[in-house]
Amino acid sequence: MDAIKHRPLKLLLLGGTTEATLLAQRLAEFRDVAATLSLAGRTRSPAPSPIPVRTGGFGGADGLADYLVRDAVDVVIDATHPFAAQISNNAIAACSSANVPLLAVERPAWRRVTDDIWTEHATVEDAIAALPDRPANVFSALGRSSISRLGAKPQHRYIIRVVDPIEPPPELAHAVIISARGPFVAEDDIALFRAHEIAYVLAKNSGGGAAYAKIEAARRLQLPVHMVQRAAIGERFVVPSAEEAMAWIVRHHLPRAERGV
Ligand code: NAP
């Protein structure tokens, strides 16, 4: 008798994070999974992927819903960055209208610990506005999309760390751009802050280990951090790590043979 043939699980992995890279590596090991990694296309040389990659927006929640139906996607894993609220809310709406299960991987936010000097802000604009008027050396880890907003306080000398090199806008002609990809190490960030005589740190509460070095460095040097909080994302099922997402996929979506039972 012929064995029952299973169609591979069609999985769409919304990525752009370390968690998505890890998940892509694990998913590639399962022969019963046909996973596609989706990237926005913001970075010039994304981390290599062992699964097929599609790049660029879907055209809002409706475009994503159409994609899910057209491609007969069985499950969506949203492993985008905690600050990528638009795509995450689109995924909630699209999965609901296309009736596709959605799991989100969201690393827990960093918590303030003793000796941290944090001021928390709802938006990037608020964090920048909270810098003093007196000129200072400021380290910005707010990301590429926030660089133009630093122009609201052009008197400061910004040291800006981004993944891909970028020209600073004309009003920030004295800014120093550091092109680097994490994970970062606290000792290196302490040396960097000392070398540039940093007085303030601008950061997003991204969570996770890869970008925590600057937070530890600021604490150890007793530098104030203006920390942008995460925007609220709609209701969805969330796990805190790639490992737990993988366990959920295996438990709920893989045939018994793949699970080894
Ligand atoms: P966003 O504001 O939430 O999304 C803006 C638009 O970009 C979305 O509506 C969507 O376009 C498109 N998009 C975003 N992520 C996508 C993906 N994985 N695949 C296909 N299209 C995507 O996102 P963002 O903050 O600009 O972040 C863009 C990407 O960079 C994300 O994938 C995120 O994981 C990564 N990232 C973001 C940050 C951050 O601080 N925001 C940090 C590190 C990495 P359509 O509406 O046309 O579908």
Side-chain angles (χ1 to χ4, degrees):
M1 200 170 70
D2 281 349
I4 297 168
K5 288 211 176 83
H6 294 283
R7 175 172 84 79
L9 178 78
K10 282 203 110 184
L11 185 149
L12 178 66
L13 175 61
L14 302 172
T17 56
T18 319
E19 288 83 353
T21 305
L22 280 171
L23 271 171
Q25 285 160 358
R26 286 296 318 281
L27 289 165
E29 295 164 9
F30 288 85
R31 67 186 149 69
D32 259 2
V33 179
T36 300
L37 172 65
S38 175
L39 298 175
R42 304 277 196 273
T43 47
R44 255 180 251 166
S45 49
S49 170
I51 60 172
V53 178
R54 66 157 301 286
T55 305
F58 296 94
D62 290 346
L64 178 53
D66 288 347
Y67 177 98
L68 298 180
V69 173
R70 205 174 46 243
D71 244 49
V73 172
D74 297 307
V75 59
V76 175
I77 307 296
D78 177 3
T80 57
H81 191 270
F83 276 82
Q86 181 68 57
I87 185 71
S88 291
N89 281 319
N90 288 354
I92 294 172
C95 286
S96 163
S97 73
N99 200 22
V100 173
L102 168 68
L103 175 74
V105 187
E106 190 180 292
R107 45 180 113 130
W110 295 318
R111 297 260 187 95
R112 185 200 305 251
V113 300
T114 312
D115 293 340
D116 276 332
I117 309 171
W118 290 10
T119 310
E120 292 181 286
H121 303 280
T123 65
V124 163
E125 287 81 359
D126 291 349
I128 295 166
L131 291 170
D133 291 333
R134 173 180 38 85
N137 293 339
V138 177
F139 179 79
S140 173
L142 295 178
R144 186 188 187 87
S145 61
S146 301
I147 289 182
S148 61
R149 301 196 181 116
L150 297 171
K153 288 265 177 163
Q155 64 272 52
H156 300 303
R157 180 170 170 271
Y158 293 100
I159 314 303
I160 302 169
R161 185 156 67 194
V162 280
V163 175
D164 289 322
I166 185 174
E167 277 298 312
E171 67 274 22
L172 303 178
H174 300 298
V176 174
I177 305 287
I178 297 175
S179 162
R181 192 194 290 268
F184 300 104
V185 174
E187 269 65 28
D188 295 346
D189 278 1
I190 288 174
L192 180 75
F193 290 179
R194 283 200 173 122
H196 289 281
E197 297 181 12
I198 296 297
Y200 298 92
V201 173
L202 293 169
K204 289 175 172 174
N205 195 334
S206 302
Y212 190 67
K214 59 181 177 277
I215 306 303
E216 187 179 334
R219 180 191 318 130
R220 284 166 57 184
L221 295 174
Q222 283 296 282
L223 301 179
V225 177
H226 288 288
M227 182 73 85
V228 183
Q229 294 170 310
R230 299 171 177 193
I233 293 173
E235 213 167 297
R236 67 225 174 119
F237 185 59
V238 176
V239 291
S241 66
E243 291 73 25
E244 289 191 43
M246 202 58 231
W248 181 88
I249 295 163
V250 169
R251 197 174 323 117
H252 296 288
H253 292 282
L254 287 186
R256 295 165 73 84
E258 283 269 30
R259 270 186 258 165
V261 291

